[in-house]
Amino acid sequence: MSNKAGHQARKRFGQNFLHDPGTIERIIRAINPKPDDAIVEIGPGLGALTEEILAVNPRLQVVELDRDLIPVLRTKFFNYPEFRIHEADALKFDFSQLMVDRPLRIVGNLPYNISTPLIFHLLSQAGVVQDMHFMLQKEVVQRMAAVPGDNNYGRLGIMTQYFCRVQPLFEVGPGAFRPAPKVDSAIVRLVPHKTLPHPAKDLATLQAVVRTAFNARRKTLRKALGGMVSVEQLQSLGINDGLRPENLGLADYVAIADLLFEEKGAASPANEVSDD
């Protein structure tokens, strides 16, 4: 389905352009941009949010992969000389290079097909971020905010909550987009913790434990983590090996990872957040 700017939404980029004025206004209110903020928008599309942010913050920077959209954006916002467009894949983009004198505020209507790996990529750069406001598939937001015992609780929620406070804000129906997606969407606010509530001794070990556990989420911990952790080790931490992975909180996973790392006694690769 084309739109008034003549740009065909591309399936391979997961493009669904926001057009509903009420939804746009509500998102801008949630972001609450200020003139001096260092704001970065991922995937501006045809500039629905961009236009509203630029009206407040003329130094907005955007990261856009679709090269056909870049001339559309340049033409539409030609009267903002400080507006910067980075033609790049957000999945590979080094956001830390954009931070000069203040942490970044990152916003975006994220393509559903890359939302999870993109969130993991951004979490690895959480140290340069003040907050993030994203439009995501409703189910993804539910997974990010889930607590132990929820059906949606898993690796995405644990690792997001390791780095950030997760605040689901409101839901958005398919009609707010062109073309309309087949799923409901939701806006989420992520605020990186100034001090991590449960810092792991080694991030890579924590990720390995969580990934292994949830690869067998229906099994008991004894079986799900059988190749990594013994029943005796779990019991030494006061963790019932008969529980399932979804019953443990972040602090429990950090405790398991710290025990393994201490026993391994070796340094691990760089603290990157992996989406593997």
Side-chain angles (χ1 to χ4, degrees):
M1 185 184 202
S2 62
N3 47 63
K4 62 185 178 185
H7 182 85
Q8 187 82 19
R10 294 190 176 181
K11 208 167 203 173
R12 72 186 180 99
F13 290 143
Q15 290 173 340
N16 298 92
F17 298 121
L18 190 60
H19 74 92
D20 178 61
T23 301
I24 293 165
E25 182 187 344
R26 202 171 173 196
I27 294 170
I28 295 297
R29 272 206 313 271
I31 297 168
N32 192 20
K34 298 287 194 291
D36 293 333
D37 287 341
I39 305 181
V40 182
E41 184 183 6
I42 296 173
L46 294 167
L49 290 178
T50 317
E51 184 170 14
E52 302 299 324
I53 296 171
L54 275 172
V56 178
N57 185 309
R59 293 184 301 147
L60 172 68
Q61 301 189 67
V62 300
V63 179
E64 177 55 65
L65 178 60
D66 185 349
R67 64 182 57 187
D68 289 347
L69 283 172
I70 289 172
V72 175
L73 293 166
R74 288 199 199 286
T75 302
K76 187 170 183 178
F77 303 119
F78 75 95
N79 55 337
Y80 290 97
E82 295 179 283
F83 174 57
R84 286 184 60 197
I85 301 173
H86 303 273
E87 184 182 336
D89 182 350
L91 277 169
K92 300 170 185 168
F93 191 73
D94 178 10
F95 288 86
S96 63
Q97 68 178 315
L98 303 184
M99 192 179 108
V100 180
D101 58 352
R102 62 194 63 208
L104 305 176
R105 305 194 66 205
I106 302 178
V107 305
N109 171 22
L110 301 189
Y112 298 149
N113 56 349
I114 63 158
S115 60
T116 300
L118 183 52
I119 291 294
F120 277 110
H121 177 59
L122 290 164
L123 291 175
S124 72
Q125 302 179 59
V128 300
V129 176
Q130 176 182 321
D131 60 22
M132 297 180 268
H133 290 82
F134 295 131
M135 172 97 72
L136 293 161
Q137 189 172 336
K138 177 180 163 184
E139 181 197 356
V140 174
V141 172
Q142 289 172 334
R143 284 165 54 205
M144 292 168 91
V147 298
D150 284 359
N151 288 337
N152 292 309
Y153 183 67
R155 197 169 141 256
L156 178 62
I158 291 169
M159 295 315 302
T160 305
Q161 292 168 38
Y162 178 84
F163 287 102
C164 301
R165 179 167 57 86
V166 181
Q167 187 180 4
L169 297 180
F170 56 90
E171 296 176 13
V172 179
F177 303 90
R178 291 198 186 106
K182 293 183 172 66
V183 295
D184 286 334
S185 304
I187 301 291
V188 66
R189 176 184 292 136
L190 305 176
V191 182
H193 300 300
K194 287 188 168 57
T195 304
L196 294 177
H198 303 289
K201 289 185 165 63
D202 182 70
L203 183 58
T205 305
L206 173 62
Q207 292 186 101
V209 170
V210 174
R211 185 185 304 114
T212 303
F214 282 95
N215 279 345
R217 64 180 300 142
R218 298 291 167 227
K219 296 184 178 177
T220 62
L221 291 169
R222 185 188 314 116
K223 293 179 179 174
L225 291 174
M228 295 183 87
V229 189
S230 70
V231 169
E232 292 72 29
Q233 285 174 313
L234 288 171
Q235 290 175 345
S236 76
L237 296 171
I239 295 172
N240 179 352
D241 61 283
L243 294 174
R244 290 184 173 175
E246 64 197 37
N247 300 125
L248 296 196
L250 170 59
D252 296 317
Y253 281 108
V254 170
I256 295 169
D258 285 354
L259 179 69
L260 290 178
F261 183 68
E262 285 166 359
E263 294 195 355
K264 190 170 61 174
S268 192
N271 271 0
E272 287 275 325
V273 186
S274 165
D275 67 307
D276 295 338

